[in-house]
Structures are given as C-alpha cells and as structure tokens.
C-alpha cells in the first residue's frame, strides 16, 4: 500500500531551515520564502512578482523546434544536466528582478534542474533595485539538479570592464575559469583549466545572443540560441530563454565548463548592458 503525495503547499526546506519551499503536488519547485512568513490566502503559491505559471512542456518543445529548426536532439540523453543533447534554459520572469533564477529542462519539457543566484544581501538587492551598479558587484550562482542538489558553483567576482567566472564543484573544488577576452566587437570567453585553454564561447553577432561553443582545437561542440520569451515577458521583464545544443557527449572538465558557460550567459552579457 502506497501513500498519496502531499497536497501542494509550503513545506520546510530540507537544505535550509530558514526557508519554506513550494511543493506543487508532484515535485519541489524553485520557489522559496522565509519560514516565518505567513501563508497567503488559500495557501496557494504566491505570484505577485511573477508573470508566468510553472513551465509548459508544449511551450518548451516549441522553443526547441524554433531554435534547432525542427532537428531537436539527434541522440538520446541520460536525463541529467551533463548528458542531455538539448538544454532549455528559461529565466523565471519577475516584474522586479532581485535575483536571477533559471529553470533547465530537456527537449521534451522534463525538468533537469535550475540555476539560482545566492548570497544576495539586503544591500545588494537595494542596489539592484535602485541603481545599475549591480553589474559591477560579485555574483554567485548554484547549478542544481532535479533533486535540488548543487552540482556546480559559479562565481563572477566584482568587475569593471571584463567578466571572469570561477567554476567549482559543489564542495568548491576548482574546475576552471571562464574569462572574457574582449570588450568590443563579437564577445569571446575562453575556458581555462589548470592554466591551459580548453575551449571557449563565441558570440555570432554584436548583440551576443547566439553563441558557438568550441573546444581547444576550434571545433564546435555546442551551440546556444536565444528564443523569444513572449510579449508579456519582453514588455515587463528582462527574462531570457535559451536553447543549448550539445550534439555529442563531452568529457570533463569541458562538459562542466560548457554547462557553466551556457547557464551564466545572461549575467555575463545582458545584465552588463546597463
């Protein structure tokens, strides 16, 4: 005899007792709130700052079709962030963006994990709300799998002109760096591991929304294509959506660098355009 899953609602977060996390009836979402915050009327998920309900698999598949021109993933994936041939990266749309949050899905709309900005103090949130200086501050992200376990950490130290990202494993063991190589023209980032180049990410136009990711020999191993988030998002938020194509399995550390780069493009480029 099996018990039915809990009803949708707020429950104590297993990773941080200071938070409650929203259970949608089937799985844990990326939505959290302080544990001391009282429940909203009818105990439904609050969306006062969000303009989009939970992901729609049909919409995600449409994104993939538009970005890949119908070819989709040419191989079967392993169901993880590092083994799927297509990653769909959708930023959670907010009217007031205090911290970046992205959901990551496979080409069929199944959730693979997410990216959450962490370490945002009250002061940093105020700076983000009231000024454009947030782009110069340190940003820290956790890449989490479908079980909300951290698999990568990405830190962009404070910068002036060029961005640099430190990529580590969950235990903060260093993997490598993603280093911005130029300021003007088509932007480029190099992947550096143990002091040696292992590849890079190259913008294909001056607005830097479509990218070719290449290995150390210059062979393309992945491609990032931006997809339009819809009029409502475009009009009121800075949310972005991307499709990442990885045709062939990649060895580590290149696989980790590709995933880290693809999931932090928004912070490196769009957030800096102010």
């Amino acid at each position: 005899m099996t018990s039915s899953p809990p009803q949708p609602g707020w429950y104590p977060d297993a990773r941080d007792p200071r938070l409650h996390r929203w259970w949608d009836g089937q799985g844990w979402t990326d939505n959290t709130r302080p544990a001391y915050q009282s429940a909203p009327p009818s105990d439904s998920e609050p969306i006062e700052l969000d303009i989009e309900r939970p992901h729609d698999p049909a919409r995600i598949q449409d994104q993939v079709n538009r970005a890949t021109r119908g070819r989709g993933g040419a191989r079967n994936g392993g169901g993880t962030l590092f083994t799927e041939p297509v990653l769909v990266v959708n930023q959670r749309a907010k009217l007031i963006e205090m911290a970046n949050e992205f959901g990551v899905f496979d080409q069929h709309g199944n959730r693979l994990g997410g990216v959450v900005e962490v370490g945002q103090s009250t002061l940093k949130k105020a700076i983000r709300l009231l000024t454009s200086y947030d782009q110069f501050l340190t940003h820290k992200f956790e890449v989490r799998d479908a079980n909300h376990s951290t698999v990568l950490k990405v830190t962009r130290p404070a910068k002036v002109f060029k961005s640099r990202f430190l990529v580590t494993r969950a235990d903060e063991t260093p993997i490598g760096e993603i280093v911005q190589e130029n300021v003007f023209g088509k932007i480029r980032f190099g992947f550096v591991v143990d002091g040696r180049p292992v590849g890079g990410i190259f913008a294909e136009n001056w607005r830097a929304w479509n990218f070719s990711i290449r290995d150390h020999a210059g062979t393309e191993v992945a491609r990032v294509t931006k997809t339009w988030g819809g009029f409502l998002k475009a009009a009121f938020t800075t949310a972005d959506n991307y499709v990442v194509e990885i045709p062939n399995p990649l060895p580590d550390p290149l696989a980790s660098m590709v995933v880290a780069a693809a999931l932090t493009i928004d912070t490196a480029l769009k957030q800096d355009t102010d």
Side-chain angles (χ1 to χ4, degrees):
M1 181 175 179
T2 60
S3 59
S4 60
Q7 293 296 311
W10 294 104
Y11 296 92
D13 187 85
R15 296 175 59 84
D16 190 339
R18 297 170 299 178
L19 300 176
H20 280 174
R21 186 174 295 277
W22 180 260
W23 170 267
D24 65 9
Q26 297 183 343
W28 296 107
T29 72
D30 292 330
N31 300 328
T32 60
R33 71 173 192 191
Y36 56 79
Q37 181 177 325
S38 60
S42 74
D43 203 32
S44 59
E45 183 178 1
I47 57 171
E48 64 274 10
L49 297 182
D50 297 300
I51 61 174
E52 181 182 51
R53 297 299 295 167
H55 76 280
D56 176 5
R59 184 177 66 83
I60 288 175
Q61 291 176 38
D62 179 63
Q63 286 179 251
V64 173
N65 289 334
R66 285 185 285 118
T68 65
R69 298 181 181 178
R71 61 183 177 271
R75 62 181 173 87
N76 293 324
T80 73
L81 293 167
F82 302 100
T83 58
E84 283 295 320
V86 175
L87 303 177
V88 182
V89 186
N90 286 344
Q91 186 175 14
R92 187 178 170 200
K94 302 177 182 179
L95 292 177
I96 302 176
E97 186 184 54
M98 294 283 82
N100 292 336
E101 292 183 36
F102 298 85
V104 185
F105 309 88
D106 69 13
Q107 60 187 313
H108 306 295
N110 301 308
R111 188 178 182 278
L112 299 174
V115 184
V116 179
E117 186 169 8
V118 298
Q120 288 286 88
S121 66
T122 301
L123 177 60
K124 281 188 176 182
K125 290 181 178 180
I127 291 174
R128 186 168 200 160
L129 177 63
L130 301 173
T131 76
S132 61
Y133 291 106
D134 174 69
Q135 62 180 304
F136 302 114
L137 303 179
T138 297
H139 291 267
K140 296 182 178 181
F141 296 87
E142 291 185 359
V143 179
R144 300 173 183 173
D145 62 19
N147 296 317
H148 299 281
S149 296
T150 300
V151 293
L152 292 175
K153 291 183 178 181
V154 182
T155 300
R156 195 206 73 178
K159 64 95 179 182
V160 178
F161 296 112
K162 294 182 180 180
S163 294
R164 181 170 65 97
F165 294 80
L166 309 178
V167 183
T168 71
R169 305 199 185 282
D171 62 1
E172 300 191 356
T173 302
I175 298 176
E177 296 185 14
I178 304 170
V179 181
Q180 185 176 345
E181 296 180 339
N182 66 322
V183 175
F184 303 105
K186 298 178 181 179
I187 201 162
R188 304 186 308 274
F189 286 84
F191 301 159
V192 180
V193 175
D194 294 329
R196 58 185 177 86
V198 299
I201 182 167
F202 301 81
E204 295 190 334
N205 55 62
W206 73 273
R207 292 195 64 189
W209 290 129
N210 295 327
F211 300 83
S212 172
I213 302 180
R214 306 169 193 170
D215 63 15
H216 69 285
T219 301
E220 183 172 283
V221 297
R223 172 166 290 274
V224 180
T225 304
K226 182 183 179 184
T227 57
W228 192 52
F231 174 77
L232 193 58
K233 277 187 179 182
F236 295 107
T237 78
T238 56
D240 280 305
N241 306 313
Y242 302 91
V243 172
V244 185
E245 299 175 74
I246 309 174
N248 300 303
L250 300 175
D252 242 355
L254 183 59
S256 293
M257 298 299 288
V258 168
V259 170
L263 302 187
T264 54
I265 284 175
D266 177 82
T267 302
L269 301 177
K270 178 182 69 61
Q271 298 296 343
D272 291 355
T273 59
D274 294 335

